[in-house]
Amino acid sequence: MDLNFTKEELAFRDEVRNFIDEHFDAEMRAAMKRTRTGYIAKHLHIRWQKALNGKGWLAPNWPKEYGGPGWTAAQRYIYDQEMMSAGAPIVVPFGPRMLAPVIMKFGTPEQKQKYLPDILASNTWWCQGYSEPGSGSDLASLQMKCEDKGDHYLCNGSKIWTSEAQHADMIFCLVRTAQGKKPQEGISFILIDMKTPGVTVAPIVTIDEPGAHMQEVNQVFFDDVKVPKENLVGEWNQGWTCAKYLLEFERGNAYSGSLKRGLQRIRRTAEAEMAGGGQPLIADPAYAARLAQIEIEVMALEMTELRILGQLSSGQNVGAASSILKTRGTELQQAVTELGAETVGYYMLPFTPLVEGGNEPTIGPDYADGVAQRYLNMRKVSIYAGSNEIQRNIMSKLILGL
């Protein structure tokens, strides 16, 4: 495996950096500095995503025939690394990264024509309806009911932890359409308009946002919601196939770029924060050793990402390797934010809510702003998209053959 980039790839890296310099404006930078989730105001996401789409870069994982850029695996990796290193806004993943591949593989020609162009143009905002109360990592136990009423479907139930549902135009849902011998049987994959009568979005206030509801997650209720029959994706009772396919794209992220950015921020903080004896914290041997250990683990993760990049370059599917990235990436996200919290020490205690557009002065140094919120928010990452315990079961079965 050759880990050196070619001249053409280095030129592409410079092109990405120039794009970031031009389009990552001051308003976005200020919003990204204060977010603890990666989500910022919807109009800023749309502005950023339309700029990316104008360049042909919104959907790096899409095939060229559907509007993707036709990049090599190395170009996709460079793009991801540069975006994360710059702290640029995320592309809200539910449409471009999660739903679109399912539509491409399982959707009808009419569904592809209807939904894919709107996803690229950021004209339709999607959210994901998988988890339910009582059905988290045990996704196949879901109970939201969908009945065939002849000329339409009728849905009743609820979905929970639905990120950005308050902004969404549409939601893709796994629903119970039959009771089979196995819980995976009798599940279907459907698309629901959020403006349909009977759909209600209720906010969930999380531990990292007391006193200022920035609302990342929600519970969505469906009360006799009528769904057109053309909104079924794939076959009736065969939605589990779509669900598994989608999860490969949800879990197969590159983490090292944002982790390295977080470690750089911690190192700068440790150089400014004073410890005992009037010396900067970074001079403490025990602290420096812990920081170095996490840096080594992030480097190891980056090598794993590059190894998977090599597999993708040779035409192989990510498959169960996405579970490796999800498990180690989220463990290191937690380790980095834990070290960040310890680095600022008692400056973490004056909990100042991150109010978007707010002008309240922070308590303590600027480098402590948002540390508590990021630490608390990252408690969830080892649970969502399939808990890390579930990921280890997948790895033991599909990679180790146990």
Side-chain angles (χ1 to χ4, degrees), residues 251 304 319-331 386-402:
R251 294 168 180 162
T304 300
S322 62
S323 294
I324 298 175
L325 293 181
K326 197 273 178 181
T327 302
R328 284 304 292 146
T330 55
E331 288 173 346
S387 70
N388 286 3
E389 290 79 9
I390 296 295
Q391 303 312 310
R392 288 185 169 87
N393 288 342
I394 293 171
M395 289 184 279
S396 65
K397 180 180 180 180
L398 299 182
I399 297 177
L400 301 179
L402 298 178

Side-chain angles (χ1 to χ4, degrees), residues 23 62 70 72 92 163 197 199 207 220-221 259 272 280 306 330 350 371 392:
H23 295 282
W62 287 27
T72 64
V92 178
S163 298
V199 178
I207 193 173
V220 184
F221 297 91
L259 290 169
L306 288 168
T330 55
V371 171
R392 288 185 169 87

Side-chain angles (χ1 to χ4, degrees), residues 68 73 81 84 108-109 113 148 153 168 183 189 194 210 230-231 233 236 242 345 350 353-354 364 392:
Q81 291 292 306
M84 288 186 288
T108 64
Q113 184 177 8
D148 188 340
Y153 301 129
F189 190 106
M194 294 289 283
E230 60 266 25
N231 286 21
V233 179
W236 185 252
C242 299
L354 293 175
R392 288 185 169 87

Side-chain angles (χ1 to χ4, degrees), residues 221-242:
F221 297 91
F222 302 85
D223 183 14
D224 285 339
V225 174
K226 293 182 178 181
V227 180
K229 302 201 80 169
E230 60 266 25
N231 286 21
L232 173 71
V233 179
E235 298 182 23
W236 185 252
N237 290 333
Q238 299 299 314
W240 192 249
T241 302
C242 299

Side-chain angles (χ1 to χ4, degrees), residues 180-223:
K181 294 181 180 179
K182 296 181 179 180
Q184 292 83 358
E185 298 173 357
I187 292 174
S188 297
F189 190 106
I190 65 171
L191 313 176
I192 302 176
D193 190 325
M194 294 289 283
K195 297 183 293 296
T196 307
V199 178
T200 305
V201 178
I204 299 174
V205 180
T206 54
I207 193 173
D208 57 332
E209 53 187 23
H213 185 215
M214 294 177 65
Q215 193 179 344
E216 178 191 5
V217 292
N218 309 266
Q219 185 167 3
V220 184
F221 297 91
F222 302 85
D223 183 14

Side-chain angles (χ1 to χ4, degrees), residues 52 55 66 113 122 154 159 161 234 244-245 274 318 400:
L52 287 171
K55 186 72 172 176
Y66 289 113
Q113 184 177 8
S122 297
L154 191 67
K159 296 294 180 179
W161 313 122
K244 291 190 298 181
Y245 186 72
M274 304 307 290
V318 174
L400 301 179

